[in-house]
Amino acid sequence: MRIGELARRTGVSERALRYYEEQGLLTPLRRPSGYRVYGDADVAAVRRIRILLGAGLNTAQILEILPCIVDEDGWLTPDCPELTEALRQQRARIDEAIGELEATRSNLDTIIGAERRVG
């Protein structure tokens, strides 16, 4: 299938699919004319990429771990022991960022509350 069909089947823009290719996440075949040719496996690969992006991983991280991800009945499962630890570290970074955002929100709430007392 061509890039337009892959975009339609995955709900991902052609531009994003080209970006995934630039990042090494997709490796379509090329016709002599230069047109990209994708297979059904690429539909599944785009699905995995989207899930991993949604989990807060960047494309460099995804490129590194994609070979260790198994898609079992719609659930992504780590297949390499070291991957689980890397994902735990990513989760810890997210937890830390959430803590910082909650502290920031609390500070804003304090400032907003103080404005009401003054006014």
Side-chain angles (χ1 to χ4, degrees), residues 17-32:
L17 294 172
R18 287 186 198 98
Y19 177 73
Y20 297 163
E21 182 183 353
E22 288 171 11
Q23 299 303 305
L25 300 173
L26 292 176
T27 52
L29 299 173
R30 292 283 188 151
R31 291 189 175 158

Side-chain angles (χ1 to χ4, degrees), residues 15-108:
R15 182 177 181 195
L17 294 172
R18 287 186 198 98
Y19 177 73
Y20 297 163
E21 182 183 353
E22 288 171 11
Q23 299 303 305
L25 300 173
L26 292 176
T27 52
L29 299 173
R30 292 283 188 151
R31 291 189 175 158
S33 62
Y35 285 111
R36 295 166 177 85
V37 179
Y38 297 92
D40 289 333
D42 292 309
V43 174
V46 170
R47 180 186 166 282
R48 288 190 300 275
I49 292 164
R50 299 300 293 176
I51 291 170
L52 293 169
L53 286 169
L57 300 172
N58 63 44
T59 55
Q61 292 168 317
I62 293 171
L63 180 63
E64 187 176 321
I65 70 168
L66 204 53
C68 290
I69 293 289
V70 177
D71 191 342
E72 295 180 351
D73 298 323
W75 294 95
L76 297 188
T77 306
D79 194 37
C80 305
E82 65 276 9
L83 176 58
T84 302
E85 181 54 32
L87 292 174
R88 284 191 179 113
Q89 290 173 3
Q90 176 70 8
R91 185 180 58 200
R93 284 190 292 274
I94 291 169
D95 287 342
E96 184 178 328
I98 289 170
E100 291 171 5
L101 287 170
E102 287 175 339
T104 300
R105 181 181 58 204
S106 178
N107 290 336
L108 282 173

